[in-house]
Amino acid sequence: FENLTSTDTIGFTTDQNMPIPGPPGAGNENGNPVLSAWWIYDPINHTLSSARDTFVVRTANGQYVKLRIEDATDQVFVLSVEPITRSPLTHSISVDASDAATPVHFDLRNGNTVSVADALTDLSWDLRLQRTQLATNSGTSGSGSGGAIDPALASLEAVTTAPTEGWSIDEDLTLPAGLGGTTFSGSPVLNGWFDYTNEVVTPGDRAYLARTATGGAVRLKVTDWVDGVFSIDYSYAGAGQTDFGTTD
């Protein structure tokens, strides 16, 4: 607990409707799957005690604290809680979007691909990738609060804040003739990520701002692309945050 002073912003599990601990059919309750691991059950005395694990909690206003349940005798909780620093890290991901028939949906908030049944209504995805195409969960692509901005900067680290205005949402676009010339739904900003010369796709030296389906700010840059396999660097400012620096 004492050594934890900062946290990344990616990978936070939000609350869910979960089965109540006990025999099957005991019912459901709203809770957090991560925090629900705080206890140890003694099957002989039928008591709960704290596992004394340290958790990182994102608060309602987007700040971060470290939390440990010290004791919970007779359901009276004793907590250790202290604020910690938000330190968004840059993550390097590889996404295979080479299948021209099946897009890949990526959750930038948790750093993983997600299975999507209806992209127009599902808010679990933030970035859709398919061959050279990029889409955000906005406009013609989805019902989320996605979008993108070109800050006209090459370095990812040079993108330090996200504005509140000027975001472009998705619309119908057309591929270059050499890439099929077909119409698709995508981000008019993010789809400027590559240069197409002599029928060769090359990532441009360009960094972008994107919004998640829930309106969070992300800075990202395509660093490599080989036949539909993307390499992307990105960092997530965190829920409700607009800057990418280390802050309290």
Side-chain angles (χ1 to χ4, degrees):
F1 185 86
E2 293 76 14
N3 294 333
L4 181 61
T5 59
S6 65
T7 180
D8 190 18
T9 53
I10 291 174
F12 283 77
T13 299
T14 55
D15 286 18
Q16 303 172 10
N17 190 254
M18 309 182 304
I20 295 174
N28 292 334
E29 63 183 359
N30 289 325
N32 190 279
V34 175
L35 293 180
S36 294
W38 71 265
W39 50 269
I40 297 173
Y41 177 63
D42 182 346
I44 297 177
N45 298 313
H46 301 290
T47 58
L48 297 180
S49 61
S50 173
R52 292 180 58 81
D53 289 333
T54 299
F55 301 96
V56 177
V57 177
R58 187 176 63 208
T59 68
N61 65 356
Q63 303 301 310
Y64 296 85
V65 299
K66 56 182 175 181
L67 164 71
R68 186 167 67 189
I69 298 174
E70 305 290 0
D71 190 28
T73 303
D74 296 329
Q75 298 182 346
V76 177
F77 285 80
V78 179
L79 309 178
S80 292
V81 183
E82 290 183 16
I84 57 176
T85 301
R86 170 177 60 93
S87 299
L89 299 178
T90 297
H91 294 252
S92 297
I93 60 172
S94 177
V95 182
D96 187 348
S98 57
D99 189 340
T102 306
V104 176
H105 295 86
F106 199 87
D107 177 357
L108 293 168
R109 292 157 285 172
N110 284 300
N112 55 263
T113 59
V114 290
S115 178
V116 172
D118 184 358
L120 289 176
T121 60
D122 196 323
L123 297 182
S124 69
W125 71 274
D126 303 311
L127 187 67
R128 185 175 67 223
L129 309 93
Q130 188 171 9
R131 295 299 297 169
T132 60
Q133 306 166 23
L134 294 180
T136 69
N137 199 327
S138 69
T140 56
S141 298
S143 57
S145 299
I149 288 177
D150 182 357
L153 295 169
S155 168
L156 200 66
E157 291 71 24
V159 183
T160 58
T161 59
T164 56
E165 299 179 345
W167 295 85
S168 295
I169 62 173
D170 284 24
E171 59 188 55
D172 288 333
L173 305 172
T174 303
L175 287 169
L179 296 176
T182 57
T183 299
F184 69 98
S185 177
S187 167
V189 173
L190 296 185
N191 279 283
W193 69 266
F194 66 93
D195 298 321
Y196 187 61
T197 306
N198 298 325
E199 300 184 352
V200 175
V201 173
T202 306
D205 191 16
R206 296 182 278 273
Y208 295 100
L209 280 163
R211 278 195 311 212
T212 68
T214 53
V218 174
R219 59 182 181 184
L220 63 84
K221 182 175 183 176
V222 178
T223 59
D224 194 21
W225 183 91
V226 179
D227 196 27
V229 180
F230 284 84
S231 295
I232 297 175
D233 288 348
Y234 85 96
S235 55
Y236 173 43
Q241 305 295 335
T242 58
D243 70 272
F244 298 93
T246 298
T247 60
D248 294 331

